[in-house]
Every structure is written in C-alpha cells, then in structure tokens.
C-alpha cells in the first residue's frame, strides 16, 4: 500500500513538474512578445488646449479627449481613497496582483456560475497595464500578460506613479478623461473642491460610465456611488457620520458646457483656433495641451459687441419689420414645437416666443420653455405681452419687395408667429420685439503700440454665422483709404497746406474701359482747397488729382507698406478705396499712423506654452540684453530695443493725425465731437452706399468698424460712414474710454506750428475765423505764393462752386505747380 502511494506520489510529482515546466515555458513564450513597459516613463496622453483672455479668464477648451494632466501630488487624499476603495483596496500592499482578491473572485464566480456575469479582480496596476500596453481581449493569454506586466511595473515605478497614470488615463463618460477633466465636466470644479459624495460618484464611473449615467440611469448611479461611500467608511477613509451625510446628497451633476466660456468672445476664439492649427497643426491643438494667452480684453470685447449690435439694430429697425422668424401651430401644447427651435446661445438676452393672441393694443406671447441639465423640457409654460406702443418701428411691414404700413398689431402679427423678444427692464411679463438684422458688420479694437487685438466682433451672432467679417470679409474701404494716399503725399514733399483743385476730372482709361469721371459724394465742387480740407470733407476729386500728381505707383507702395493690400493695382480708382481689404488690415494701417509710423504686426496671441509650461511663442519680439541680470549693482535700468521698421516718418504721422482730428472737429465725423477728447479718424462710404466705414483712434487705442450686407447691395441713400459707422465708434468709445484720462497726440520735436488759412493754405494772422494752427516739418512751411495742384487738368467750362475770393482769383488766373 505504501509502495502504491509512493508510486502515485511520484507520478503526481512528475506531472506537477511537467505542468510547472509547461506553465513556465508558456510564460516565457508569452513574455517574449510583451510590450515595453518602460514607455510609461514617457507617458504623454492627449491633453486639451486651453485658451485664456489677457486677464487669465478661460475662453475655450479644445480636445478630442477632455483631459487635464494632474500630478499625483495635486490629487487630494480623499479622492485617492475613493478610487482605491472602489477599485483596489489593497493597492498599497500587493505586488501588482492581489492574490487574496483573486481567490475571492474565483470563489464568487464558481458560486454564481451560469447565473451572473463573472466578477473581476483586476488591480489598479493591472488596469494600467491593460489600458496602456494591451488590448481589451477577454482571453487567458491577455490576462497572463497583464499579470506579468503588473509585476514588472510595480518593480519599476512607485505606487504613487502608478496611481497617477491610472487617474489621468481612465474614461469617465461625457467625453471626459482623467480625474481633473471629469471633475470639470461633471461638477465644473477643480479636483480639490470635490466633496466626498462627488469623489465617490466619479470613482464609481470607470466600471461603466453609461451604466451610471447621471441622467439616464440616476438610480443606479446613486446606488453605485453609495456603495463606494460604504467602502470608504469600511476602509477607514471617512467616518460613519460623514458617509451617512454624503449618501443623503443628490448626485448634483451640472455638466460643463463645451465651446466658449467667455461671453461675446466666439469670433475671437475661432480666429485664434485657426491660427494655432495653421502654426502647429490639428494634433497640437486637440491633443497637445497648449496654454494660450490671448490679447483679448473681455470688458472691451463686450463693449465692442454691444456698439456694433446697436448699430445693426438701429439700421435694421429703421428699414422695418420683415415678419416672423418661423411659424408653428399653437393647437395643443405649443411649448413642444417651440422648444425644438434653437435660440442663439450668444445672444442670451433674446428669448424665442410664439404669438398666442393678437389685439389692436397688444400681443400675448408664450415663451420658449426652458430645459433642465439633461436637456428635458420643463413643464411650466410662461406667457408675456408685447405692447403696440413699444414697437412702432414694426408697423413698417416688409414683405419681399413690398412695403406697407400696418394700422395695428393685427397687421403685424399672426397667431403662431415665432419671434425674438427681450424682457423690458423692470418687468417680468412685458417684452420688446426684435428681429435678426439682415445687415452685418465687423469691428476691431487694437493697441497701436504693440498690434495687440483687444477686441474683435465678426458679426451679429456667431451662433447664426461663423463667418468673421473682421478678418474674412473682403470689402472696399472707400474714403477710409484716403489717409494712406495723403500720408504718401506728406511723406514726399507735400504739406497739409498744399492746395489741390477740387473740380471735375476725366480720366481716359484706354481701350474699351472708356472715360472715368469720378464725383464727390455731394456732387458739388469746392475749387482749390488744402489737403487738410480735402481729407476733412472727404473730397474724392482732390484725392484723385493728388494721386495723379504724385503717381499711383507711389500710392501703391505705401498701401503695401501699411499692409492694406499685398499687391495693389496702381490705377487711380484705387486711390478712392475701390480695392478690397479687411477691417483688421485697415485698423492695423491706422495703428501705424497712431504710433508714430512704426510697423506693427497684428496679433491675437500674446504667448503660447506647451504642456510643460515652456514658452513656444511670444508676440513681443523686442530685445532686452540686460533684463536677466542676477542682481543690481548700480547699473542703469535695462531698455527694450525696438527695432521695428519705420513705415512712415513720425512727423508725417503727426501731420496726417492732425488732419484726421479735423475730420472729427469740422468734417464728416462731427458726431464724435461730443466725446470731448482728442480723436482722429476717417469715414468711408463706397459706391451706392454698399459699405459704411469709420476708423478712429486716440493716442492709445484704435477702433475700426464696417457695416454692409454680406451680399453687397445698396443700403440706401444717406447711410454713410458718417451716419452709420461713426455712431458705432461713438458708442464704443463712450464705454471703453469712460474711465481713461484724455491725452493729446504727441507732437514730434522739431516741428513748426503756424497759423494757416484753412482754404488757401497761405499763412494768416492767428485768431482769425478761418485760421487753423498747422504743423510743418523742418525746412517746410506755407507757400510764399498761391499755387494750385491740378489746374493743368481743369477745363474752364467746368461748373466749379467757388467758395472764396482767393479761390476765384486762382481759377481765373490759372495758377498751378507743385510746391
């Protein structure tokens, strides 16, 4: 018997040894194909890029996986405890595989064989091995590889490093990855702000985010969260009282919306997004974890948007009411079809409403129902009224090309009309009517000293149209281009007191183009007049004659220097702004004038840092050789070296600035005089009033705006840069400059200021009614004798409106010649 037992023992021993050898050979063979776990040391997960305003406010986040990498030192112990309790309570004790946990899982699975889904016993280390190095195949081979890698990972990395990898990699649902991204997505909080209940819920999600969805599966989510809280209490991480209190809390999930976070900054953000892709590529934007500090001034952005929108509304309402936005049936529950129509997310003051009843005095409206966090329409239906006396503008009804005047609200509204409304100040039930303006526009505010774009508005609503009319719309600048023509003249021998004939001119364009005969906007002529008068009153004929006298090649050269055009066609019509450009380019050109003629590069980004905080881009390229001194030893303060090109002579820049101040004081933009501060600028209106421009500046701020239809068409006689665009500038300036002290434009040293007759350009006695103090460069001054540029192209039979005896004598006497 003993011999038989020994026999079987020997056979068993041999079989065990053979089995062990087989297992060993299997493990060795599998180990040959294991991935290199050392790659974990260079772990760089896809991280979202964050864009901030100049004052640090978050503007937007861009990511394929919404993840922020968080070092383990920044993760609170309570959050670590939640995940350890939920996933691997022996994490800090086991060598990579939890043998006791594995044994329990085997027992449970045997007991539940065929009745329940098998339970797992994967440790956090095993999950790291699977998530980073292996596939999700449910095979024995993959599990063996996972175990082997877990042992090796534990030997190579600390427990905290392994936990750090796990917490930053796992998927939480709602397109959020990593604990920092999940805290923001679910609770709009940083990780260190999470409560016990919130940390426990996030720790419950990795097992199956869709199974514990906060809105689709709220009961299961709470049950799983409470299970995690119980494990935290069981493991001693929280007290029984804390656990009880946490379990009584609701889920409280408030999903963080994606896209823009800073009000009114959508156009600016989108432009920055395009620039980053152009510079670094899509992967850098959506996976690179860049930190982008933009030039945006949030307060000024809101002011610019409000000013442009007010200008659009004012024009649009002056035209009349075009009817309902949409129509729906009001039979039954009108809230359902109304809730299916999207509101404009970037125009939060506007609400959609449906007309329920119309009387001659008022319309009763039903407001679009609000939605809860899950997107479900709430049951409450709110109503309000629109009074006839509050919307008189809408009584001018436009139906296609037909225009009628309604006698009461019954001629304006029909039941079922869906309209935009805004709550009247001080009332909860009374509303004003609005409509989406057909006219559009763009605006840019810039720091003239650096080229930093402080504000940018690309249209009425980004939600309605993402087309950026400040950077993408190519429009004719009209007379707002004239300062560059006059700058070229002043930089090449002319003075503000030079006299040019404002009279009829015809230009033979050759071939089939025929004869071009430009006109002034008023259709009248002023006769010989100074350059100052020409720009103040925006005289087209004077500008053409001036450009003809100095040559369009010179004008084209200066236009390209200022960055208005890349390559300008040197034809006379271009001197009146017939070439197409953008608001951003025009504002940049005016900024060069405002800063004394130094070239600037417009920028919407101050600095870009990579995921490690290293600066990879900086807009300010000025050099400072002694800025990095270790200590002060009596040396002078370091100086920034500004080696930017001088596009325009500083004295010329001041002369054209002074002339554009006259546009505000006596010319086409006198609406701005009430601002009571030094402002220079120029209006612009294109043929048939298709575009209206105004670009103006103070010593430290430039703001430009254009308004017009996207499909260029006449806006109507009288809708000019003076009447339409300049008021937008005024609204903006009143808000943006409210708390800033008034500063005069700086006069460069060496210039001579003399009293000049505004009309003749001759020196006059100071204090006269028609006398202005004019600035001259050294070696120049008013002409010693009266002469007129362009008299050689004037025909005596032309109907010139003579406004001065001196002018009359000049025309009769012939005059002429450049001085």
């Amino acid at each position: 018997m003993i011999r038989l037992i020994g026999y079987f023992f020997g056979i068993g021993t041999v079989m065990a040894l053979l089995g062990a050898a087989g297992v060993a050979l299997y493990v060795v063979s599998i180990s040959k194909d294991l991935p290199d776990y050392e790659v974990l040391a260079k772990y760089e997960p896809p991280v979202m890029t964050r864009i901030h305003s100049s004052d640090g406010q978050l503007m937007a986040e861009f990511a394929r996986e919404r993840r922020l990498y968080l070092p383990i030192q920044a993760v609170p112990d309570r959050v670590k405890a939640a995940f350890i309790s939920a996933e691997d309570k022996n994490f800090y004790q086991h060598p990579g595989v939890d043998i006791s946990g594995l044994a329990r899982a085997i027992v449970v699975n045997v007991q539940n064989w065929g009745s329940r889904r098998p339970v797992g016993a994967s440790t956090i280390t095993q999950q790291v091995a699977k998530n980073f190095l292996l596939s999700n195949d449910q095979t024995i081979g993959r599990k063996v590889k996972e175990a082997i890698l877990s042992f090796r990972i534990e030997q190579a990395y600390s427990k905290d490093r392994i936990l750090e990898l796990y917490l930053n990699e796992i998927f939480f649902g709602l397109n959020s990855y990593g604990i920092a991204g999940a805290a923001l997505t679910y609770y709009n909080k940083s990780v260190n702000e999470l409560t016990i209940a919130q940390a426990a819920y996030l720790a419950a999600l990795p097992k199956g985010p869709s199974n514990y969805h906060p809105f689709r599966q709220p009961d299961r989510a709470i049950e799983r969260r409470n299970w995690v809280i119980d494990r935290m209490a069981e493991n001693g991480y929280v007290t029984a009282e804390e656990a009880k209190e946490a379990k009584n809390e609701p889920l409280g999930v408030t999903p963080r919306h994606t896209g823009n976070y800073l009000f009114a900054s959508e156009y600016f953000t989108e432009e920055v997004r395009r620039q980053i892709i152009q510079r670094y590529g899509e992967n850098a934007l959506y996976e690179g974890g860049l930190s982008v500090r933009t030039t945006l001034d949030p307060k000024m952005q809101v002011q610019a948007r409000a000013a442009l929108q007010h200008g659009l509304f004012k024009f649009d309402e002056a035209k009349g009411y075009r009817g309902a936005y949409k129509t729906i049936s009001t039979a039954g529950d009108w809230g359902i079809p109304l809730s299916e129509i999207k509101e404009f997310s970037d125009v939060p003051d506007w609400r959609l409403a449906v007309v329920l009843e119309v009387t001659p005095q008022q319309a009763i409206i039903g407001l679009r129902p609000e939605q809860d966090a899950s997107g479900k329409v709430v049951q409450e239906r709110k109503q309000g009224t629109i009074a006839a006396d509050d919307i008189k503008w809408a009584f001018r009804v436009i139906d296609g090309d037909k225009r009628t005047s309604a006698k009461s609200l019954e001629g304006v509204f029909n039941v079922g009309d869906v309209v935009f409304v805004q709550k009247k100040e001080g009332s909860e039930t009374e509303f004003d009517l609005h409509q989406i303006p057909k006219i559009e526009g763009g605006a840019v505010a810039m720091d003239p000293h650096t080229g930093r774009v402080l504000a940018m508005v690309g249209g009425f609503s980004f939600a309605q149209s993402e087309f950026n009319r400040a950077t993408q719309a190519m429009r004719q600048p009209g007379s707002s281009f004239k300062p560059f023509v006059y700058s070229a003249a002043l930089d090449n021998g002319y003075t503000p007191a030079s006299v040019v004939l404002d009279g009829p001119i015809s230009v033979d364009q050759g071939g089939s183009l025929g004869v071009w005969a430009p006109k002034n906007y008023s259709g009248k002529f002023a006769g010989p007049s100074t350059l100052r008068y020409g720009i103040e009153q925006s005289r087209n004929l004077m500008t053409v004659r001036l450009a003809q006298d100095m040559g369009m090649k010179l004008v084209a050269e200066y236009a390209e220097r200022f960055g208005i055009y890349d390559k300008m066609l040197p034809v006379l019509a271009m001197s009146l702004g017939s070439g197409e450009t953008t608001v951003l380019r025009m504002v940049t050109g005016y900024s060069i004038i405002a800063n004394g003629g130094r070239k600037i590069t417009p920028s919407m980004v101050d600095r870009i840092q990579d995921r490690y905080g290293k600066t990879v881009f900086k807009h300010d390229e000025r050099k400072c050789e002694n800025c990095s001194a270790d200590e002060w030893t009596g040396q002078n303060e370091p100086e920034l070296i500004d080696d930017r090109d001088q596009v325009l002579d500083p004295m010329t820049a001041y002369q054209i600035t002074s002339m554009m101040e006259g546009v505000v004081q006596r010319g086409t933009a006198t609406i701005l005089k009430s601002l009571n501060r030094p402002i220079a600028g120029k209006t612009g209106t294109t043929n048939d009033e298709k575009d209206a421009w105004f670009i103006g500046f103070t010593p430290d701020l430039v703001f430009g705006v254009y308004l017009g239809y996207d499909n260029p068409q006449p806006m109507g006689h009288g809708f000019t840069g003076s009447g339409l665009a300049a008021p937008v500038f005024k609204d903006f300036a009143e808000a943006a400059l409210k708390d800033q002290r008034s500063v005069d434009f700086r006069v460069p040293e060496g210039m001579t200021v003399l009293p000049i007759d505004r009309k003749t350009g001759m020196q006059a006695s100071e204090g006269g009614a028609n006398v202005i103090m004019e600035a001259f460069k050294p070696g120049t001054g008013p002409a010693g004798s009266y002469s007129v540029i362009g008299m050689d192209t004037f025909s005596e039979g032309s109907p010139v409106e003579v406004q001065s005896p001196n002018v009359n004598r000049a025309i009769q006497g012939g005059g002429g010649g450049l001085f």
Side-chain angles (χ1 to χ4, degrees):
M1 185 66 180
I2 294 174
R3 183 180 296 177
L4 184 63
I5 292 173
Y7 177 75
F8 281 114
F9 178 77
I11 292 175
T13 301
V14 171
M15 294 296 292
L17 290 173
L18 289 174
V23 170
L25 289 172
Y26 177 70
V27 170
V28 169
S29 65
I30 280 185
S31 299
K32 292 179 180 178
D33 299 326
L34 287 177
D36 183 8
Y37 62 88
E38 293 182 356
V39 299
L40 299 179
K42 301 176 182 178
Y43 174 57
E44 288 189 354
V47 181
M48 63 181 165
T49 290
R50 309 186 92 194
I51 298 178
H52 298 83
S53 62
S54 61
D55 64 354
Q57 294 187 61
L58 180 64
M59 292 171 60
E61 296 169 331
F62 295 101
R64 294 192 178 101
E65 298 178 358
R66 292 174 57 80
R67 177 190 284 110
L68 291 172
Y69 193 88
L70 196 66
I72 194 64
Q73 295 84 355
V75 180
D77 290 340
R78 185 167 287 173
V79 175
K80 297 178 192 175
F83 283 87
I84 290 172
S85 297
E87 296 290 330
D88 187 2
K89 72 174 185 178
N90 297 321
F91 173 68
Y92 280 103
Q93 285 77 47
H94 64 65
V97 176
D98 188 352
I99 303 301
S100 61
L102 182 61
R104 283 194 303 272
I106 292 173
V107 171
V108 171
N109 287 334
V110 169
Q111 293 174 344
N112 298 333
W113 183 264
S115 61
R116 294 183 184 178
R117 182 179 176 181
V119 298
S122 292
T123 64
I124 286 176
T125 310
Q126 286 176 282
Q127 292 183 57
V128 168
K130 180 186 70 173
N131 293 338
F132 285 88
L133 305 172
L134 299 170
S135 68
N136 288 320
D137 296 339
Q138 296 294 327
T139 62
I140 294 176
R142 199 271 293 165
K143 294 295 290 184
V144 172
K145 290 181 180 180
E146 183 182 289
I148 296 171
L149 283 171
S150 296
F151 287 123
R152 292 182 179 181
I153 289 170
E154 289 273 355
Q155 293 173 351
Y157 303 103
S158 68
K159 288 285 187 179
D160 278 349
R161 174 60 176 167
I162 294 169
L163 186 58
E164 179 181 290
L165 293 171
Y166 172 76
L167 290 176
N168 281 288
E169 177 67 17
I170 48 179
F171 176 59
F172 286 87
L174 301 185
N175 197 36
S176 61
Y177 293 78
I179 182 60
L184 283 173
T185 299
Y186 282 87
Y187 294 108
N188 200 19
K189 289 183 174 181
S190 61
V191 173
N192 59 8
E193 294 176 310
L194 294 173
T195 65
I196 293 173
Q198 291 167 346
Y201 176 60
L202 295 183
L205 287 170
K207 281 293 184 187
S210 60
N211 295 333
Y212 310 114
H213 193 281
F215 304 118
R216 292 195 290 266
Q217 303 285 352
D219 294 337
R220 295 179 66 180
I222 290 176
E223 180 183 359
R224 176 69 180 176
R225 180 203 67 178
N226 291 348
W227 179 87
V228 175
I229 294 173
D230 287 337
R231 300 291 77 74
M232 292 176 72
E234 181 182 294
N235 297 330
Y237 293 118
V238 297
T239 66
E241 186 64 31
E242 287 176 322
K244 181 179 179 181
E245 186 177 331
K247 288 165 68 175
N248 287 330
E249 289 184 20
L251 279 179
V253 172
T254 53
R256 180 185 174 96
H257 75 278
T258 58
N260 253 55
Y261 299 109
L262 191 61
F263 177 65
S265 65
E266 292 86 355
Y267 283 109
F268 197 106
T269 300
E270 176 60 16
E271 190 66 26
V272 171
R273 186 192 72 86
R274 283 195 292 262
Q275 290 182 11
I276 293 174
I277 290 177
Q278 185 178 16
R279 183 177 282 138
Y280 301 112
E282 283 196 14
N283 286 340
L285 175 69
Y286 292 106
E287 300 179 0
L290 302 176
S291 176
V292 183
R293 179 61 66 93
T294 71
T295 60
L296 180 78
D297 181 320
K299 184 177 178 181
M300 197 172 289
Q301 177 69 26
V302 172
Q303 293 164 342
R305 179 179 180 273
L308 178 61
Q309 282 194 342
H310 182 257
L312 298 177
F313 296 157
K314 187 177 178 181
F315 171 87
D316 195 63
E317 291 183 358
K319 291 290 186 178
Y321 178 60
R322 294 188 303 278
Y325 177 59
K326 293 182 183 297
T327 57
I328 62 173
S329 172
T330 58
D333 185 0
W334 47 264
I336 299 300
L338 184 58
S339 66
E340 294 173 354
I341 303 174
K342 287 187 177 181
E343 294 180 319
F344 292 153
S345 57
D346 56 345
V347 192
D349 293 338
W350 286 20
R351 296 282 305 277
L352 277 172
V354 60
V355 177
L356 302 175
E357 183 181 339
V358 186
T359 69
Q361 291 77 34
Q362 69 173 14
I364 298 175
I365 56 173
L367 299 175
R368 182 179 186 269
E370 297 179 352
Q371 297 176 329
D372 60 22
S374 66
K376 185 178 179 181
V377 179
V378 299
Q379 294 301 311
E380 185 180 8
R381 301 290 182 263
K382 295 182 179 180
Q383 295 185 4
T385 61
I386 300 175
D389 290 340
D390 293 332
I391 59 166
K392 289 297 185 184
W393 65 270
F395 280 59
R396 297 184 298 275
V397 180
I398 304 172
D399 184 5
D401 295 330
K402 183 181 177 182
R403 298 171 185 268
T404 59
S405 295
K407 296 180 180 179
S408 71
L409 278 185
E410 293 170 324
V412 177
F413 294 132
N414 293 309
V415 172
D417 284 355
V418 176
V419 296
F420 286 100
V421 297
Q422 182 174 358
K423 189 181 297 182
K424 292 186 66 175
E425 189 173 348
S427 175
E428 290 297 319
T429 59
E430 296 178 317
F431 292 83
D432 285 324
L433 174 70
H434 289 300
Q435 67 180 358
I436 302 170
K438 286 186 67 176
I439 191 176
E440 280 286 3
V444 172
M446 182 178 288
D447 178 346
H449 306 293
T450 61
R452 298 174 70 247
V453 178
L454 305 176
M456 173 183 289
V457 189
F460 162 69
S461 166
F462 184 82
Q464 180 203 17
S465 169
E466 297 183 10
F467 182 65
N468 191 331
R469 294 154 190 87
T471 61
Q472 295 176 304
M474 301 297 293
R475 308 294 292 221
Q476 295 178 338
S479 294
S480 62
F481 177 74
K482 289 175 182 175
F484 304 112
V485 178
Y486 284 77
S487 292
L490 295 171
D491 224 26
N492 288 275
Y494 300 78
T495 77
S498 296
V499 177
V500 178
L501 179 63
D502 182 26
I505 185 171
S506 299
V507 180
D508 188 353
Q509 301 176 95
S512 61
L513 296 176
V515 175
W516 177 54
K519 293 180 174 60
N520 290 324
Y521 184 80
S522 66
K524 300 179 180 179
F525 314 102
S529 304
T530 62
L531 296 195
R532 170 177 286 278
Y533 179 86
I535 202 166
E536 287 182 358
Q537 302 301 324
S538 197
R539 311 302 286 187
N540 291 340
L541 300 177
M542 288 181 65
T543 305
V544 171
R545 273 201 170 81
L546 180 64
Q548 186 181 51
D549 193 68
M550 63 179 157
M552 278 303 298
K553 287 187 177 180
L554 182 64
V555 175
E557 178 189 333
Y558 272 78
E560 292 163 17
R561 279 196 210 175
F562 279 102
I564 308 303
Y565 305 108
D566 292 328
K567 190 165 183 62
M568 175 176 154
L569 191 65
V571 297
L572 280 174
M574 294 292 284
S575 67
L576 299 181
S578 62
E580 294 178 337
T581 187
T582 67
V583 178
L584 180 61
R585 285 191 169 213
M586 290 293 289
V587 169
T588 302
Y590 274 68
S591 293
I592 292 173
I593 295 174
N595 73 21
R598 280 201 180 273
K599 184 176 181 61
I600 59 169
T601 301
S603 177
M604 302 176 68
V605 175
D606 275 336
R607 185 191 68 223
I608 300 176
Q609 294 170 288
D610 63 16
R611 67 171 69 203
Y612 304 109
K614 179 183 177 182
T615 297
V616 294
F617 170 81
K618 187 172 67 172
H619 169 62
D620 191 344
E621 297 179 345
R622 291 177 296 177
K623 300 174 182 176
C624 185
E625 297 177 354
N626 301 317
C627 281
S628 58
D630 295 330
E631 59 181 0
W632 183 69
T633 57
Q635 70 267 37
N636 293 328
E637 292 182 7
E639 293 184 7
L640 289 171
I641 301 173
D642 190 350
D643 57 0
R644 294 176 295 179
D645 294 339
Q646 194 74 39
V647 174
L648 197 65
D649 185 290
M651 293 186 178
T652 300
Y654 176 75
Q655 286 178 318
I656 192 65
T657 296
S658 175
M659 291 163 67
M660 283 195 283
E661 276 191 278
V663 173
V664 174
Q665 295 302 315
R666 294 169 296 275
T668 57
T670 53
I671 188 176
L672 304 179
K673 284 180 67 174
S674 61
L675 293 173
N676 294 319
R677 62 171 63 237
I679 292 176
K682 184 69 186 75
T683 55
T685 309
T686 59
N687 289 344
D688 300 322
E689 291 91 4
K690 291 180 181 178
D691 304 271
W693 292 71
F694 184 81
I695 304 173
F697 56 93
T698 66
D700 300 309
L701 180 65
V702 181
F703 182 73
V705 59
Y706 122 82
L707 295 91
Y709 292 104
D710 282 346
N711 182 18
Q713 56 185 288
M715 293 183 289
H717 187 70
F719 289 106
T720 63
S722 176
L724 198 56
V728 174
F729 179 94
K730 182 181 180 183
D731 287 347
F732 170 76
E734 284 178 340
L737 305 176
K738 181 180 179 181
D739 299 323
Q740 297 185 19
R741 65 187 182 91
S742 179
V743 178
D744 291 327
F745 291 104
R746 187 178 65 84
V747 183
E749 294 183 8
M751 297 199 79
T752 304
V753 179
L754 298 172
I756 300 296
D757 185 296
R758 282 199 314 116
K759 187 65 181 176
T760 67
M762 304 290 286
Q763 188 164 353
S765 298
E766 190 172 346
N770 205 38
V771 174
I772 188 170
M773 301 302 293
E774 197 67 84
F776 295 91
K777 300 175 185 176
T780 68
S785 60
Y786 190 76
S787 58
V788 181
I789 300 166
M791 285 300 295
D792 54 336
T793 61
F794 171 71
S795 81
E796 291 188 10
S798 300
V800 177
E801 178 187 303
V802 180
Q803 298 180 357
S804 163
N806 292 331
V807 172
N808 191 44
R809 285 194 296 272
I811 294 176
Q812 293 173 352
L818 173 65
F819 57 93

